Amino acid sequence: MSDKKYSIIAVLDTIEDKLIQQSLELIVFASSFAAGDLSTALVVVPGKSVMKLCESITEKYLIDTAAIEHDELYYPNPELLAELLYGTIGEYSPGLIIFTHTVRNSQCTAKLSVISKSSTVTAVESFIRDGETCIFQRSIFNGKLKINQRLNALLKIVTVLAGTYTLEEDTVSYKSNASVNAPAYCPAPASRSGAKHYGYKPISLSPEALGGVKLEDADVIISAGRGIGKEENLSLISETASIFENAAVGASRPICDQRWLPFNQQVGITGRTVSPKLYLACGISGSQQHIAGMKNSQCIVAINKDPDAAIFSVSDYIIVEDLIYFLPVLIRKYRDIYEKE
Ligand code: FAD
């Protein structure tokens, strides 16, 4: 391990030792935070055997990397990762550790924050410099309000909302001029208490997580939100999907949490990222976590009873109406026009 110190550590996500590409956005965030100077930024890659992955990231983005390897990191294990990162903090003394905002990283940062006595803010969308300090900005109340949050602890931990610092194809602007070190290897330190006290051990991916409905391939996505009211009303959503060619049904998280639809139909930061020609959001408020997964759709139409719904701020067409009334009218009109042709 090198004795170099780093001011920013970006912790990437892997599953089965493969990188989750979206987590590379952290390099863009780090670059912006460090005003383009990535010489004191370190990318940490957790996994079972990830030195080669570290080498490829160092080579492509000209940034120092370190592998945190452990057999049980082949699948995400936030509690174990928090323990191992605690050792890494001791080695490198960073001022800021960044993660992509996901459920498991929220678990990891909650634990890491407690054991390292640091301050944490989640789902950060941007930041502003205020002299020596920094104010992190995020949304609350399903995107209706933005707040500024200043963290006082010496070590700050931040989860960054996916899709807010996007990585373009041309990566040149994110490259550091610094000469980079060979990837470092962070051996697993002994657990703080000497005992294995991480709660669980993920052992495989469910088939659902691996495949199923390909929302990503659909030209049209009709998405159901909590505003559909009850499970029976899903038939209205699938009937609307049936009037379009190559259409799929998507959902916001509460719909999948209630098991009304499987998780592989969830759109958002912890679901699928989609960019169909048409995205019709039905009864979805427009939380940042949902918007991050669908904002790159070519045309966004939202139906919502609330004229101030946050989803309208990213929509091309807005329909302030009860979806239970509106969708049957849409289906009828559509069929009247197109099925007569
Ligand atoms: P609500 O926020 O309850 O909105 C329902 C909307 O329906 C309201 O705007 C209401 O005005 C409208 N409505 C009600 N009745 C009608 C009607 N009859 N006709 C028309 N409109 C009506 N969410 C995701 O979607 N995807 C994710 O990947 C995701 N990941 C998350 C990750 C983390 C770590 C966390 C903390 C949260 C995540 N969430 C995610 C949850 C997210 O924060 C919101 O809670 C969720 O998106 C809200 O879903 P919703 O818009 O369907 O429900």
Side-chain angles (χ1 to χ4, degrees):
M1 187 172 306
S2 101
D3 50 12
K4 190 173 168 186
K5 300 290 176 203
Y6 294 94
S7 56
I8 306 176
I9 290 184
V11 183
L12 303 193
D13 295 315
T14 60
I15 291 186
E16 295 180 334
D17 287 351
K18 291 186 201 72
L19 186 67
I20 296 185
Q21 290 295 321
Q22 194 155 41
S23 63
L24 286 170
E25 291 178 9
L26 293 179
I27 299 179
V28 187
F29 182 94
S31 172
S32 172
F33 196 84
D37 177 12
L38 285 174
S39 60
T40 63
L42 176 73
V43 161
V44 163
V45 183
K48 184 177 174 186
S49 174
V50 285
M51 281 303 265
K52 285 234 164 329
L53 183 54
C54 283
E55 278 164 23
S56 66
I57 294 168
T58 294
E59 198 177 309
K60 186 160 183 196
Y61 299 100
L62 291 180
I63 189 165
D64 283 358
T65 53
I68 292 194
E69 294 187 337
H70 191 291
D71 283 356
E72 290 181 22
L73 288 179
Y74 191 60
Y75 296 109
N77 189 330
E79 293 210 20
L80 171 61
L81 182 59
E83 288 283 340
L84 301 183
L85 281 170
Y86 182 64
T88 310
I89 295 170
E91 290 296 331
Y92 295 123
S93 321
L96 176 70
I97 306 187
I98 53 176
F99 296 77
T100 307
H101 184 67
T102 61
V103 173
R104 58 175 180 269
N105 283 339
S106 298
Q107 262 177 283
C108 177
T109 52
K111 178 164 183 174
L112 186 59
S113 179
V114 171
I115 61 180
S116 63
K117 297 188 175 53
S118 50
S119 316
T120 301
V121 58
T122 56
V124 163
E125 292 156 37
S126 53
F127 61 85
I128 35 178
R129 290 277 179 199
D130 181 18
E132 284 298 290
T133 59
C134 177
I135 295 168
F136 296 98
Q137 302 182 303
R138 57 159 300 172
S139 300
I140 55 170
F141 297 130
N142 282 330
K144 285 190 177 164
L145 283 182
K146 294 236 185 271
I147 57 162
N148 289 344
Q149 205 158 339
R150 196 189 296 266
L151 302 181
N152 293 324
L154 280 179
L155 174 62
K156 299 162 184 47
I157 299 178
V158 162
T159 67
V160 181
L161 204 62
T164 45
Y165 286 81
T166 46
L167 190 69
E168 306 297 334
E169 279 301 297
D170 171 12
T171 56
V172 176
S173 57
Y174 312 119
K175 283 185 177 176
S176 149
N177 292 326
S179 58
V180 287
N181 295 317
Y185 176 65
C186 301
S191 178
R192 285 173 308 120
S193 63
K196 269 194 167 188
H197 54 289
Y198 29 91
Y200 56 86
K201 178 181 173 183
I203 47 169
S204 66
L205 293 180
S206 71
E208 192 179 89
L210 289 168
V213 180
K214 278 274 176 198
L215 276 183
E216 293 88 339
D217 295 338
D219 287 328
V220 177
I221 295 177
I222 316 294
S223 260
R226 193 160 18 211
I228 66 164
K230 48 186 179 181
E231 189 175 4
E232 293 81 84
N233 290 336
L234 273 175
S235 57
L236 207 48
I237 303 296
S238 32
E239 203 183 341
T240 309
S242 73
I243 66 178
F244 298 98
E245 270 179 34
N246 195 25
V249 171
S252 66
R253 181 158 155 183
I255 299 298
C256 301
D257 281 347
Q258 292 179 90
R259 303 289 192 269
W260 292 357
L261 285 174
F263 281 104
N264 60 7
Q265 279 171 267
Q266 180 182 315
V267 173
I269 51 162
T270 45
R272 304 290 161 120
T273 302
V274 296
S275 48
K277 290 180 182 158
L278 171 65
Y279 189 88
L280 177 58
C282 308
I284 294 177
S285 58
S287 65
Q288 288 303 315
Q289 291 89 356
H290 187 82
I291 287 175
M294 46 64 82
K295 67 178 181 192
N296 291 330
S297 305
Q298 287 175 35
C299 178
I300 298 173
V301 182
I303 310 168
N304 201 301
K305 282 200 301 196
D306 175 4
D308 297 322
I311 189 94
F312 290 155
S313 64
V314 295
S315 301
D316 299 287
Y317 298 94
I318 66 173
I319 299 154
V320 182
E321 189 52 271
D322 186 331
L323 66 92
I324 305 297
Y325 168 77
F326 182 81
L327 288 179
V329 176
L330 173 74
I331 296 165
R332 204 168 53 243
K333 289 275 179 203
Y334 193 94
R335 287 195 171 134
D336 279 353
I337 297 168
Y338 292 100
E339 288 180 4
K340 278 183 192 150
E341 281 179 358

